[in-house]
Amino acid sequence: MGKILGSWSGMRKYLEQEMLADSLHGRVRYNCTTYVGMDGCHIFEVYIDNKLVKQFSWETVNTYFIEKGYKKSSNHSGIGEYWNEFWALMDSVPMQARQEYTDNEFCKSLENYRNHSIQDSIQSENPLERMFAVLDRRVGKRSLRKLKETMEEQSEWLQQFYRLRLSAENYEE
C-alpha cells in the first residue's frame, strides 16, 4: 500500500470498524494478499457473510477482457502474449464500462472516498467509490431511499452491495 493509504491493517480497520454501517458489522470483510514476485501488486477481496463476492487485481481485469472478447483467445503460449493489449485496453475501456478492476483502481477509489464528502462519493461515476459509500455509516435514511431508486441503474456486482445495505437497514426491495 502506498504512503497515502497507510498500512493495510489500518485501512482494513478504517473500512470494517470505523466507517462501516453498524448494521453491517461482522458481515463485510476486506482482505489483501501480496505474493512474492508480483512486483508490488496486490489482490484485494471483499467478502460478505464470509463469501468472496469481489476481487480486485490485474489478473481479474485481464481475464475479464478475454472473456468479453476485448482480447483474442486466452490460448496463450507465454506471459507476453497473455498480457498483450492489456495496457491499450486499460486506456480505452473506462472503469464505468467494466465489471472488473485492478488493485490500483481499488486503492485510488479508496483514496477518493476518504478525501471526498459522502455525498460526492455516493454520486460518483466511479463504481468502486460508490461501493465504499453504500456501506458507509454516514449514509442515512433519505440517502438510502434515493439509492433504492437508482439501484437498477447500477451494474449487477454493485447492486449486490446496494441490496445488502438496504436489507441490513430493513428496506424492502
Side-chain angles (χ1 to χ4, degrees):
M1 303 274 309
K3 282 185 174 183
I4 295 171
L5 295 177
S7 70
W8 172 245
S9 61
M11 280 300 99
R12 186 173 180 182
K13 179 181 177 192
Y14 175 80
L15 289 169
E16 292 179 7
Q17 296 174 20
E18 296 172 22
M19 300 312 294
L20 190 64
D22 290 342
S23 61
L24 298 175
H25 277 260
R27 296 191 64 193
V28 176
R29 181 171 55 92
Y30 296 86
N31 192 44
C32 175
T33 304
T34 303
Y35 295 99
V36 175
M38 286 183 59
D39 296 330
C41 295
H42 301 85
I43 299 171
F44 292 103
E45 300 168 324
V46 181
Y47 291 81
I48 297 174
D49 298 327
N50 291 319
K51 180 183 174 201
L52 176 63
V53 294
K54 194 73 178 156
Q55 275 190 322
F56 304 91
S57 71
W58 297 101
E59 182 66 35
T60 57
V61 175
N62 200 41
T63 300
Y64 174 80
F65 286 152
I66 292 167
E67 289 174 353
K68 293 297 180 186
Y70 288 108
K71 292 178 65 169
K72 295 177 184 162
S73 173
S74 63
N75 297 330
H76 49 81
S77 58
I79 198 162
E81 185 178 332
Y82 179 71
W83 291 101
N84 187 29
E85 303 174 49
F86 179 79
W87 297 110
L89 286 168
M90 286 295 292
D91 290 338
S92 66
V93 182
M95 285 182 70
Q96 297 80 2
R98 289 187 269 127
Q99 302 294 312
E100 299 296 338
Y101 312 95
T102 68
D103 60 333
N104 288 353
E105 290 168 325
F106 179 92
C107 289
K108 183 66 176 163
S109 300
L110 179 54
E111 180 183 354
N112 289 343
Y113 159 73
R114 289 190 64 177
N115 292 319
H116 293 144
S117 73
I118 191 63
Q119 290 305 317
D120 287 346
S121 291
I122 205 77
Q123 296 170 5
S124 174
E125 290 187 22
N126 179 329
L128 302 179
E129 195 173 336
R130 281 197 314 271
M131 175 193 74
F132 293 123
V134 164
L135 303 175
D136 192 293
R137 64 178 171 77
R138 297 172 291 172
V139 174
K141 292 183 184 228
R142 280 179 283 182
S143 295
L144 284 174
R145 217 172 293 130
K146 289 178 187 174
L147 287 177
K148 185 177 176 184
E149 294 170 9
T150 63
M151 183 172 69
E152 296 301 320
E153 300 167 13
Q154 309 304 320
S155 60
E156 184 58 39
W157 77 266
L158 189 53
Q159 285 183 35
Q160 183 175 2
F161 289 92
Y162 277 59
R163 284 191 290 274
L164 171 70
R165 179 65 190 273
L166 291 167
S167 171
E169 301 292 345
N170 296 316
Y171 274 87
E172 296 297 318
E173 262 190 73

